[in-house]
Amino acid sequence: MLGSLRDLLPIILVIGFFQAFVLQQPIPGFMDIIIGTLFIVLGLTFFIYGLEMGLFPIGESMANAFARKGSVVWLLIFAFCLGFGTTVAEPALIAVAKEASEIAAVGGMILHTPESMRSYADGLRFTVAFSVGLAIVIGVLRILKGWSIQYMIMGGYILVVIMTALAPKEIIGIAYDSGGVTTSTITVPLVTALGVGLASSIKGRNPMTDGFGLIAFASLTPMIFVMAYGMII
């Protein structure tokens, strides 16, 4: 808990400084904010403890088991399902998709009905989840084959720049934000553990240089797929 409080302290100091010396206004609902901050400290503490006890070990152990089993097909299926499942349940993505559907309805890009907005939000969520699943598959193949991550990432961002020039301007911001919200509380721990565990299990692979990088693919591919989604829809 002390570690969590230390991590949150810079945010608390910044907000307190600007509230007291720049805005020079009393903080509304001060006691509620104090209680909420305590809940954040507790939540962050339990979350990190849960990662260390549960998600990291299970991710690494499953990667080791798949490597020993020697079945590339099942490993890739597992990688896709892991990326898809963790992303479609990502709270940040759900929030962004819901907000995007409401703005699209207000802007007249889709019908302003609950069914149309729900369909748009679900389509956006599943597009992002599919892209992340595919990204994890590509990342796992990179670890297995020893491909260079630099050229793959550079090629991906060149494609992003090209698609940015072609995609409707209304979808570009959503596509860029989709790349960020996928790398959040649920996706990052499991995907990182998978990459490190897999690289540790394969002879000749370095967990430091080969085990990381899956998150970069998970951030890149949603931008491409969401812009394609916008061009189609």
Side-chain angles (χ1 to χ4, degrees):
M1 289 182 63
L2 289 176
S4 299
L5 184 61
R6 184 183 63 246
D7 293 337
L8 289 171
L9 188 60
I11 302 174
I12 297 172
L13 292 177
V14 167
I15 294 174
F17 172 81
F18 279 92
Q19 187 72 37
F21 296 101
V22 178
L23 298 178
Q24 296 182 349
Q25 295 176 355
I27 300 177
F30 182 74
M31 286 306 300
D32 290 340
I33 293 176
I34 293 296
I35 295 172
T37 302
L38 292 176
F39 285 155
I40 292 173
V41 172
L42 287 172
L44 186 60
T45 301
F46 287 125
F47 176 70
I48 294 174
Y49 196 60
L51 291 182
E52 295 174 351
M53 288 185 62
L55 290 187
F56 281 129
I58 194 172
E60 293 182 8
S61 65
M62 291 192 73
N64 292 331
F66 275 113
R68 288 195 303 269
K69 190 177 180 64
S71 175
V72 175
V73 174
W74 280 111
L75 175 60
L76 295 180
I77 293 174
F78 170 72
F80 177 84
C81 293
L82 180 69
F84 184 92
T86 55
T87 304
V88 81
E90 191 65 63
L93 176 60
I94 295 172
V96 168
K98 183 176 183 297
E99 187 70 20
S101 68
E102 293 175 357
I103 298 301
V106 172
M109 288 176 285
I110 60 174
L111 295 176
H112 203 299
T113 62
E115 294 78 11
S116 181
M117 293 167 62
R118 190 183 308 111
S119 176
Y120 184 88
D122 289 344
L124 188 61
R125 279 180 62 202
F126 286 116
T127 298
V128 173
F130 179 84
S131 69
V132 173
L134 184 61
I136 305 306
V137 169
I138 295 172
V140 168
L141 282 173
R142 182 193 70 84
I143 295 174
L144 295 176
K145 301 294 185 181
W147 294 336
S148 173
I149 190 173
Q150 296 93 324
Y151 296 111
M152 298 179 71
I153 294 296
M154 285 189 290
Y157 276 106
I158 289 172
L159 182 58
V160 168
V161 172
I162 294 172
M163 294 190 69
T164 300
L166 302 174
K169 63 183 180 191
E170 293 85 0
I171 201 68
I172 293 174
I174 298 173
Y176 280 30
D177 284 345
S178 297
V181 297
T182 56
T183 53
S184 191
T185 53
I186 299 177
T187 309
V188 171
L190 276 171
V191 171
T192 302
L194 173 66
V196 172
L198 187 60
S200 302
S201 305
I202 300 175
K203 186 178 181 180
R205 296 288 179 267
N206 186 332
M208 182 61 69
T209 57
D210 298 313
F212 293 92
L214 292 178
I215 302 301
F217 290 110
S219 299
L220 174 61
T221 54
M223 292 187 281
I224 298 172
F225 276 72
V226 171
M227 279 191 280
Y229 176 76
M231 293 166 72
I232 294 171
I233 297 298

